Every structure is written in C-alpha cells, then in structure tokens.
Amino acid sequence: MRSLLIVKPDICKGKTGMVLSMLIDNGFKIVFTKIMQLDFKVASEFYKEHFGKPFYGQLIDFMCSDQIVVVVVEKLNCAEELRKLVGSTNPEEAAEGTIRKKFGTGLPKNAVHASDSGISSMKEIDFFFSKEEQLKW
C-alpha cells in the first residue's frame, strides 16, 4: 500500500532529509518525491474539505508561502502506519518520537501533511502525480 506525505514550507528548507530519514528508519520505502510550489488555486482545491473553517485562510497562505516536498511512501498498512509516525495534528499534543513533535511548531506549521486513510491516499497521490508519472514507479 502507498500513502502521501507533504513536507510543509517551513520544514522543506533544511530538514527534509531528516524527515525522509525518519520514514526510512521506520520501514517506509520512498517511492517518489517531487519539489513544487503551490499556488492559491491548487492549494485551495487540495484543502477544499477545510473551506469555511477558521484556519482555512492561514493554511492556504502558509502552504503557498514557499516550496513543499511531496512524497509517496510504501509500507504494509501504509496510511495507518504513516499517521502513527506523523503524530497528532497539533504538535503540542503529538507523542514523543513523532515527526510533528520533533519538527512542528504549531498550527498550521505542524511540519507535514499525511493522508488519513487508504482512500485519501489514492486521491491525494492522483492529485499531485499524473498517471504518466505513476507509471514510472
């Protein structure tokens, strides 16, 4: 099974390698990565489920503020295992040893986005990667 992780703008510069190392150290295979810059339209579409929530505008502005790294990972029970490694959405509530506890500084600066289920994983991978890109893996 595969899942998607996004290294957010504040972590992307300088700490991406540490995040990827944590993935590998926890048994994830890195299938593909892509560095990109989101624009308002793309970020709004990706986070449309949060439209109308108090944090939506701040999240979109933050995600468009600099480059991100989009990562496809693979592991048995991938989405569930990835969510465990990523930790709670709020870094202050995240368990020790999780990515968000180690690198997150608050909301929306919680270091990474991770797909929350197998179904979301498929949709999110398709959102960021074309079928032609996926055929290369």
Side-chain angles (χ1 to χ4, degrees):
M1 296 184 72
R2 292 181 174 162
S3 195
L4 183 107
L5 178 110
I6 300 172
V7 181
K8 292 187 175 183
D10 59 330
I11 301 302
C12 185
K13 298 277 199 263
K15 296 182 182 167
T16 299
M18 290 184 265
V19 171
L20 297 179
S21 289
M22 286 182 73
L23 293 168
I24 293 165
D25 291 347
N26 283 275
F28 290 90
K29 176 185 175 189
I30 297 173
V31 177
F32 201 80
T33 63
K34 181 181 348 188
I35 298 171
M36 62 189 305
Q37 174 84 40
L38 296 180
D39 62 25
F40 180 82
K41 182 179 177 184
V42 173
S44 297
E45 177 64 23
F46 184 71
Y47 287 108
K48 66 183 175 188
E49 71 185 66
H50 298 304
F51 183 78
K53 295 179 181 174
F55 60 85
Y56 178 78
Q58 184 183 14
L59 174 63
I60 299 304
D61 289 345
F62 172 62
M63 292 302 292
C64 295
S65 68
D66 207 341
Q67 292 180 326
I68 60 170
V69 178
V70 185
V71 184
V72 177
V73 294
E74 189 173 76
K75 184 177 181 177
L76 188 63
N77 300 316
C78 195
E80 297 83 10
E81 292 297 315
L82 184 59
R83 294 295 291 190
K84 286 180 197 172
L85 178 60
V86 164
S88 178
T89 302
N90 185 340
E92 294 176 8
E93 299 168 0
E96 291 297 327
T98 62
I99 292 171
R100 287 182 173 149
K101 186 67 166 187
K102 184 169 184 167
F103 299 110
T105 58
L107 295 172
K109 296 182 178 183
N110 60 354
V112 294
H113 164 90
S115 301
D116 62 6
S117 69
I119 292 170
S120 292
S121 296
M122 292 186 308
K123 289 179 187 174
E124 293 181 358
I125 289 169
D126 286 345
F127 184 87
F128 285 105
F129 297 96
S130 70
K131 293 297 179 193
E132 291 78 25
E133 286 175 308
Q134 293 181 43
L135 287 173
K136 295 176 185 176
W137 319 330

